[in-house]
Amino acid sequence: MSFFSIFLALVIEQVRPLSGVHFLHNSLRKWATWVSRNVDAGHKTHGWLAWSVTVGVPSLLVLLVHWLLALTLGWVFAVAWNVALLYVTLGFRQFSHHFTDIRDALEEGNENLARELLAQWQQVDASALPRSEIVRHVIEHSVIDAHRHVFGVFFWYAVLSVIGLGPVGAVAYRFAEFTSRFWSTGSTPRHDSPMVSASLTQATAQAWQSLDWLPARATALGFAIVGSFEDAMDGWRNHAQKFPNDNDGVILAATSGAIHIQLGGATLKSTQSDDTEFDASNLNSGSTSTPGRLPEVAHFAQVVGLVWRTVVMWLVLVALLTLANVLG
């Protein structure tokens, strides 16, 4: 069930992509806002309770529907439910149009348009970025988005579906990722974010850090396997020694080594707040850069190849596990 659900969801998403903002996103924002207003009272316990309700209630609902469909109508309907949920939680096309538009602008030599598109995408001031820095930030954001929209969802769905929990892993992961942005004061601020307590912000950040710890390292390992393994692992190890809890940094360090490009560096200032700096690389390393060549437009193709080879590798692994389960 896992392999077919993931494969069908990816195919459907490529043929008919879901827009970046749709009614489900609006509903999710309303749900998170309602919970924070009615549950978040400022105490540490209330912060964890608000996060648990926001993420746990929808996850339990989709699990109950999965079990009901499997027990009453059969596995075909359960697979259809899984595919539908993966379609809205997993996929490249929810962010890849930003990557494509900026790449096309740079290939045409229109750096001003590329800066504008990057600024609109990440809500940052990119007006002074040189060409190589535009490429660097686009690669960093795209790799992290690929992890959060594809590999992280892929990981938790595959792991929990094996023990009969269906799509709960995919839904919980995406809800946790959303709340980490929606209730965060340390990343790019959003004009529609509600006022929340420090306890809720801290609980959300801790929960996201924990849930993303294993998927981030699985993504980094995948990049290492399909790229330059020794260099990727070396970059991962060096970064982990300096910042052991930095999930995004591990992924970018492995990416840097896998295709021999320089990532990390100066941060960008958010256009949403005059006094908030936005770390585009999420390396938590200030101005520190990884070893490698300066990013160039030609590296975009290498990044795309790296990501797709990793997708194929994990799909093959899930297919083999599925086959072994069937034969066993």
Side-chain angles (χ1 to χ4, degrees), residues 211-266:
L211 279 176
D212 197 40
W213 196 91
L214 274 176
R217 282 144 185 82
T219 298
L221 178 61
F223 287 169
I225 292 173
V226 302
S228 177
F229 184 84
E230 184 176 350
D231 291 330
M233 296 302 294
D234 186 57
W236 175 354
R237 181 170 55 253
N238 290 336
H239 183 78
Q241 289 175 351
K242 299 176 182 177
F243 311 100
N245 297 319
D246 182 16
N247 294 338
D248 289 351
V250 164
I251 296 169
L252 293 178
T255 303
S256 172
I259 56 179
H260 305 292
I261 62 171
Q262 187 179 107
L263 297 178

Side-chain angles (χ1 to χ4, degrees), residues 268-317:
L268 297 179
K269 187 174 288 293
S270 169
T271 57
Q272 299 276 335
S273 175
D274 292 336
D275 58 359
T276 302
E277 284 192 351
F278 177 63
D279 186 354
S281 68
N282 286 312
L283 284 170
N284 293 338
S285 54
S287 60
T288 301
S289 298
T290 61
R293 297 167 294 177
L294 285 176
E296 300 175 356
V297 175
H299 289 129
F300 283 149
Q302 290 183 263
V303 172
V304 172
L306 184 76
V307 169
W308 275 110
R309 289 196 302 273
T310 306
V311 169
V312 172
M313 182 191 70
W314 291 124
L315 275 175
V316 170
L317 178 60

Side-chain angles (χ1 to χ4, degrees), residues 27 36 45 76 110-111 115 120 154 177 182 187 195 277:
S27 300
S36 65
T45 304
V76 174
N110 195 341
E111 294 182 13
R115 293 186 187 96
Q120 293 171 8
F154 196 121
E177 191 274 334
F182 193 61
S187 60
M195 294 296 294
E277 284 192 351

Side-chain angles (χ1 to χ4, degrees), residues 5-21:
S5 297
I6 294 171
F7 180 76
L8 288 174
L10 285 173
V11 170
I12 295 171
E13 201 260 347
Q14 288 295 311
V15 175
R16 193 175 182 84
L18 198 65
S19 63
V21 178

Side-chain angles (χ1 to χ4, degrees), residues 32-191:
T33 300
W34 183 88
V35 173
S36 65
R37 288 175 178 171
N38 289 275
V39 180
D40 179 26
H43 192 271
K44 182 178 180 179
T45 304
H46 296 136
W48 279 106
L49 179 60
W51 183 87
S52 300
V53 170
T54 304
V55 177
V57 170
S59 300
L60 288 175
L61 287 176
V62 301
L63 179 60
L64 288 175
V65 172
H66 170 76
W67 282 342
L68 285 173
L69 290 174
L71 293 174
T72 58
L73 299 179
W75 70 270
V76 174
F77 290 91
V79 168
W81 175 242
N82 280 242
V83 171
L85 289 172
L86 285 171
Y87 174 65
V88 298
T89 57
L90 180 152
F92 291 100
R93 303 294 290 275
Q94 298 180 39
F95 68 90
S96 63
H97 58 284
H98 298 292
F99 174 91
T100 302
D101 292 344
I102 297 173
R103 180 198 61 190
D104 292 345
L106 289 173
E107 288 179 346
E108 294 170 1
N110 195 341
E111 294 182 13
N112 288 332
L113 176 59
R115 293 186 187 96
E116 292 176 7
L117 292 172
L118 176 59
Q120 293 171 8
W121 178 20
Q122 295 297 327
Q123 298 299 299
V124 293
D125 180 11
S127 58
L129 285 183
R131 185 182 180 89
S132 63
E133 284 294 284
I134 299 173
V135 175
R136 175 176 73 85
H137 284 290
V138 171
I139 289 175
E140 289 170 350
H141 286 300
S142 298
V143 169
I144 295 302
D145 277 350
H147 166 67
R148 295 181 178 182
H149 285 268
V150 181
F151 298 117
V153 178
F154 196 121
F155 176 88
W156 279 119
Y157 173 77
V159 168
L160 295 187
S161 64
V162 168
I163 58 176
L165 296 181
V168 68
V171 173
Y173 181 84
R174 291 298 291 141
F175 266 75
E177 191 274 334
F178 167 78
T179 57
S180 73
R181 291 181 288 108
F182 193 61
W183 287 337
S184 174
T185 57
S187 60
T188 306
R190 298 178 53 91
H191 68 276

